[in-house]
């Protein structure tokens, strides 16, 4: 088994540490937040994520936290860098944290004699690795990439709420390699951390950089196409949008995943990666209308559904929004369509109360005291005169509770309930 170091113990890095340790590898974790380091060292979750606590427990004997990048690199042969690359206003990603991490890793490599592989997992744009990231490692280490140390760009395809499962059973591994030895080393490691043999797609660094953002841009386009069909279907009497998308998804050329009409997409990855794809294309003189139009259309959906609510509502109504996360199974509400809808309603003077099945904490950070929060669904519904389902309802008991509401009007973008409009 290998000894690996992970630089960055946030939503993805902490899960990587847990999974890799549970599969028998020694893991040394570093983060600028000391609380995250301490949590990993004690096999406690530094972030909220499904199955993280149990997976950390499985790997506890092999989990180590450190406050030193030098120690993390010295005690490992493979280093994963998974630090934030926040979006800039123009659409590209900031590399400040990545470059700082590479500076620290490079310094740690300076006195190391053994071969060491550096893997960047953070999302970046084409040519960033070759032009802006590897040079930092070479300058600070005094070594040459491909000769004295290896480098791969290998972003992972995960979703908040299912990160552990995604790491154990990915569809494929994407490996951008600086050289063949780097790719061989990483591929061999990846096959030790999954529940079954997983395909690996190896390619040049810029090819991998383009692949990562292309995947998310394509998925957002598919989501948006389904939502566009939903709007069209509503204008044609006798059309059932779910029958239409079910038939489309049965075609092997299309597939059923992400092909359901409802609210638009949100979250920490889809919106920003799609915008970054459009920005990257513009910088190269290429018109990327699909990415740009997808983003523009996605933003209109908040107004589409807000208008539906406002056609029913009067100033005296209390509007309950059930589900404010960007997707089921997580409390995170970054770029959540439901949050955007609530903000429009509040601006127009409506009274809003909310119940989020997965917790109100992140929603509270975004909405403050402008709404009333309910931990209990029934209590939230009791106050409301209009109900809007911001997410599909997962629990049968919650669905039954909604079905029993006779005195309220329910707006259901997911069509889980009979029409109540």
């Amino acid at each position: 088994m290998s000894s690996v170091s992970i630089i960055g113990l946030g939503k993805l890095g902490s899960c990587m540490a847990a999974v890799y340790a549970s599969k028998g590898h020694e893991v040394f974790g570093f983060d600028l937040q000391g609380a995250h380091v301490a949590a990993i060292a004690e096999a406690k979750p530094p972030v909220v994520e499904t199955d993280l606590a149990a997976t950390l427990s499985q790997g506890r004997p092999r989990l180590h936290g450190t406050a030193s990048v030098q120690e993390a690199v010295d005690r490992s042969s493979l280093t994963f860098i998974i630090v934030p690359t926040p979006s800039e206003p123009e659409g590209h990603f900031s590399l400040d944290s990545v470059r700082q991490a590479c500076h620290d890793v490079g310094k740690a490599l300076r006195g190391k004699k053994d071969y060491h592989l550096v893997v960047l997992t953070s999302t970046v744009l084409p040519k960033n690795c070759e032009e802006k990231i590897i040079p930092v490692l070479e300058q600070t280490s005094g070594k040459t990439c491909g000769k004295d140390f290896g480098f791969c760009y290998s972003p992972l395809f995960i979703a908040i709420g299912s990160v552990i499962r995604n790491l154990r059973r990915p569809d494929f591994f994407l490996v951008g390699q600086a050289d063949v030895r780097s790719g061989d080393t990483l591929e061999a490691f990846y096959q030790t951390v999954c529940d079954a043999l997983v395909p690996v797609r190896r390619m040049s660094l810029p090819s991998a950089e383009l692949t990562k953002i292309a995947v998310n841009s394509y998925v957002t386009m598919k989501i948006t196409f389904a939502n566009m069909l939903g709007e069209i279907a509503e204008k044609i009497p006798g059309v059932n949008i779910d029958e239409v998308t079910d038939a489309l998804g049965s075609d092997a050329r299309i597939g059923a995943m992400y092909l359901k009409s409802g609210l638009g997409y949100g979250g920490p990855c889809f919106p920003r990666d799609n915008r970054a794809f459009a920005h990257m294309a513009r910088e190269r003189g290429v018109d990327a209308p699909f990415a740009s139009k997808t983003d523009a259309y996605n933003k209109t959906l908040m107004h589409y559904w807000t208008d539906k609510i406002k056609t029913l509502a009067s100033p005296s109504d209390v509007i309950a929004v059930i589900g404010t996360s960007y997707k089921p199974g997580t409390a995170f509400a970054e770029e959540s369509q439901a949050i955007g809808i609530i903000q429009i309603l509040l601006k127009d003077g409506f009274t809003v109360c909310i119940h989020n099945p997965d917790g109100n904490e992140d929603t509270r950070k975004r909405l403050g005291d402008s709404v009333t929060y309910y931990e209990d669904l029934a209590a939230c519904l009791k106050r409301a005169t209009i109900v809007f389902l911001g997410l599909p309802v997962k629990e049968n008991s919650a669905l039954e509770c909604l079905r029993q509401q006779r005195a309220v009007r329910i707006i259901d973008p997911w069509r889980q309930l009979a029409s109540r409009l």
Side-chain angles (χ1 to χ4, degrees):
M1 290 297 177
S2 302
S3 292
V4 303
S5 50
I6 297 176
I7 311 301
L9 298 171
K11 292 190 287 289
L12 177 53
S14 59
C15 293
M16 292 166 64
V19 170
Y20 298 166
S22 73
K23 292 293 187 176
H25 298 283
E26 294 290 325
V27 176
F28 299 87
F30 169 86
D31 195 281
L32 292 175
Q33 295 189 51
H36 283 24
V37 174
I40 288 296
E42 296 173 7
K44 296 180 179 177
V47 298
V48 177
E49 178 57 44
T50 304
D51 296 329
L52 178 56
T55 309
L56 284 167
S57 180
Q58 292 169 11
R60 182 167 189 169
R62 293 170 294 281
L63 282 167
H64 314 276
T66 175
S68 165
V69 172
Q70 182 72 56
E71 180 185 12
V73 172
D74 283 345
R75 300 185 68 180
S76 62
S77 60
L78 193 162
T79 295
F80 289 92
I81 297 175
I82 175 60
V83 297
T85 51
S87 297
E88 299 285 9
E90 299 85 356
H92 65 273
F93 302 139
S94 170
L95 298 179
D96 291 348
S97 294
V98 168
R99 287 168 61 85
Q100 182 60 56
C102 287
H103 178 273
D104 296 340
V105 170
K107 284 177 61 179
L109 289 175
R110 179 176 287 273
K112 191 164 187 177
K113 295 180 180 180
D114 297 334
Y115 177 83
H116 196 96
L117 176 63
V118 179
V119 181
L120 178 64
T121 305
S122 309
T123 302
V124 297
L125 293 177
K127 302 301 287 184
N128 281 173
C129 286
E130 291 180 339
E131 296 177 356
K132 299 179 180 180
I133 294 170
I134 291 176
V136 175
L137 286 165
E138 291 185 324
Q139 290 163 13
T140 53
S141 68
K143 297 183 175 184
T144 302
C145 180
K147 176 185 175 184
D148 304 311
F149 68 90
F151 182 89
C152 287
Y153 173 63
S154 184
L156 300 170
F157 298 91
I158 54 90
I160 301 300
S162 59
V163 179
I164 299 294
R165 176 164 50 83
N166 298 152
L167 289 172
R168 286 175 166 166
R169 295 184 289 278
D171 291 331
F172 74 106
F173 284 114
L174 175 63
V175 175
Q177 58 188 36
D179 60 277
V180 173
R181 183 181 182 185
S182 296
D184 287 346
T185 303
L186 184 56
E187 179 172 359
F189 172 80
Y190 275 153
Q191 298 301 355
T192 69
V193 298
C194 296
D195 293 344
L197 194 65
V198 175
V200 178
R201 297 292 179 261
R202 289 170 57 173
M203 58 193 71
S204 70
L205 294 170
S207 291
E209 290 164 326
L210 178 59
T211 299
K212 166 59 175 175
I213 56 169
V215 166
N216 283 353
S217 185
Y218 187 88
V219 172
T220 61
M221 183 174 65
K222 191 172 181 182
I223 294 168
T224 302
F225 187 83
N227 285 327
M228 178 192 69
L229 281 177
E231 279 201 61
I232 294 171
E234 192 175 68
K235 306 295 184 184
I236 306 174
V239 172
N240 182 315
I241 183 56
D242 294 316
E243 292 175 349
V244 172
T245 53
D246 179 65
L248 285 174
S250 299
D251 190 314
R253 296 170 297 176
I254 298 173
M257 289 189 67
Y258 294 102
L259 197 66
K260 181 176 177 63
S261 175
L263 295 190
Y265 58 83
C269 295
F270 282 168
R272 82 185 203 115
D273 285 6
N274 188 63
R275 292 168 198 152
F277 184 90
H279 169 79
M280 176 274 304
R282 286 194 302 271
E283 278 197 325
R284 286 161 174 77
V286 178
D287 183 20
F290 294 112
S292 300
K293 292 295 185 182
T294 293
D295 184 53
Y297 182 87
N298 191 60
K299 292 175 180 175
T300 70
L301 290 166
M302 290 182 289
H303 297 279
Y304 173 81
W305 287 105
T306 305
D307 289 345
K308 282 184 171 293
I309 296 170
K310 292 195 301 190
T311 59
L312 297 177
S314 66
S316 61
D317 278 309
V318 176
I319 302 167
V321 177
I322 310 303
T324 55
S325 305
Y326 82 92
K327 66 167 218 172
T330 178
F332 288 106
E334 186 172 345
E335 296 216 34
S336 158
Q337 290 263 323
I339 294 290
I341 288 167
I342 292 168
Q343 289 171 331
I344 296 170
L345 291 172
L346 292 172
K347 185 177 179 181
D348 290 341
F350 289 98
T351 300
V352 178
C353 59
I354 69 165
H355 166 73
N356 194 43
D358 294 293
N360 292 324
E361 183 179 354
D362 196 51
T363 297
R364 193 184 295 274
K365 292 177 184 178
R366 301 171 194 281
L367 296 177
D369 297 328
S370 60
V371 302
T372 304
Y373 301 88
Y374 287 90
E375 299 297 329
D376 180 64
L377 173 61
C380 186
L381 295 174
K382 187 174 180 180
R383 186 175 175 210
T385 53
I386 294 176
V387 174
F388 179 78
L389 300 187
L391 289 175
V393 178
K394 292 296 185 182
E395 299 295 331
N396 289 333
S397 58
L399 275 173
E400 187 57 33
C401 185
L402 284 162
R403 289 192 182 103
Q404 291 174 3
Q405 304 305 307
R406 302 301 179 195
V408 299
R409 290 152 288 177
I410 299 177
I411 302 173
D412 175 16
W414 317 99
R415 299 163 302 283
Q416 290 184 290
L417 303 167
S419 176
R420 300 288 296 275
L421 300 183

